[in-house]
Amino acid sequence: MAYIVDHQKKFDDLKHYLNNLEQLKRKANGGNSILFSYPPAEEHLYVQKAKEIYAATAEFIDISKLFVQYIDADGWDAFKEYYQSFSSTPHKVFNSPEDTEPDLFNLIIQAIQNAHENNKIPFLVRTGALFGTGIENVSIMENRSVMELKLPLVIFYPSKIEGDNLYFLNIKLGSKYRCILIE
């Protein structure tokens, strides 16, 4: 189990970057995000530890709950019909800039802004729920609202690292651009 060996260093690195924001922006290609990588099977351990350490200073934004909230807004049947109507471009269901109705991406950005307004560090957790939505970590990190936050965005990212490559959920190639990667 990697958690037993790796978690202390990862949390020490996270603390370091949260306390050195100028260094973060410099090393993150002007970005304002920290990508906290860990094995997907150990997600609950890392999230639990983060909640213990950062209970007073962070707001934990559970992507899986936002996903359910998004579907529940119109109900399952309406969502299913809407999703099926976009069968050739399903990612537009979750992130469509030309749509005036709030989508999942908008809910995520709004939750991040709310954390900021509460003077809390936004922590995105349960990000595996984004798989298949077309919403990429880099889309969130490069959003103007995120780039302008006074406190950085921390994205808990179930992944593996092989060589120079980062794989979301150990499957899909992920981006390390605009962030600091804690491996």
Side-chain angles (χ1 to χ4, degrees):
M1 205 183 210
Y3 177 80
I4 294 169
V5 176
D6 295 338
H7 84 281
Q8 189 61 51
K9 181 181 180 335
K10 288 178 189 266
F11 282 105
D12 286 347
D13 289 349
L14 178 58
K15 180 180 178 181
H16 169 78
Y17 286 114
L18 289 174
N19 290 328
N20 295 286
L21 299 180
E22 286 188 29
Q23 185 181 24
L24 168 70
K25 289 220 181 225
R26 209 172 37 254
K27 287 188 166 187
N29 301 309
N32 193 27
S33 300
I34 299 169
L35 207 59
F36 190 92
S37 176
Y38 53 86
E42 298 176 355
E43 180 171 55
H44 65 286
L45 296 169
Y46 283 98
V47 171
Q48 180 182 346
K49 185 67 173 178
K51 286 181 177 182
E52 289 172 18
I53 296 170
Y54 294 101
T57 58
E59 193 161 314
F60 291 87
I61 302 164
D62 187 328
I63 298 297
S64 66
K65 289 181 180 176
L66 290 178
F67 188 92
V68 171
Q69 178 185 332
Y70 171 63
I71 292 172
D72 283 349
D74 292 324
W76 173 251
D77 291 333
F79 172 78
K80 181 180 173 185
E81 183 179 315
Y82 183 62
Y83 186 82
Q84 288 173 338
S85 71
F86 282 89
S87 61
S88 62
T89 55
H91 63 279
K92 288 188 176 187
V93 171
F94 303 103
N95 184 13
S96 182
E98 57 274 351
D99 194 354
T100 58
E101 293 294 315
D103 55 28
L104 180 59
F105 185 80
N106 298 130
L107 289 177
I108 294 166
I109 298 302
Q110 185 60 55
I112 293 167
Q113 290 172 328
N114 290 346
H116 179 260
E117 289 169 10
N118 293 330
N119 202 31
K120 302 279 187 174
I121 303 165
F123 275 62
L124 292 186
V125 298
R126 305 286 312 249
T127 58
L130 293 175
F131 190 76
T133 65
I135 298 173
E136 305 286 335
N137 64 325
V138 72
S139 303
I140 296 168
M141 293 185 297
E142 289 186 334
N143 182 276
R144 176 181 219 115
S145 298
V146 172
M147 297 284 281
E148 294 175 354
L149 294 173
K150 290 180 182 144
L151 298 169
L153 170 66
V154 178
I155 302 174
F156 271 53
Y157 202 69
S159 55
K160 72 177 176 181
I161 300 166
E162 287 183 347
D164 287 337
N165 295 318
L166 175 68
Y167 293 94
F168 180 55
L169 295 175
N170 297 354
I171 301 167
K172 185 177 183 331
L173 193 59
S175 176
K176 302 180 281 188
Y177 190 62
R178 296 280 191 211
C179 68
I180 290 290
L181 175 64
I182 295 179
E183 20 184 325

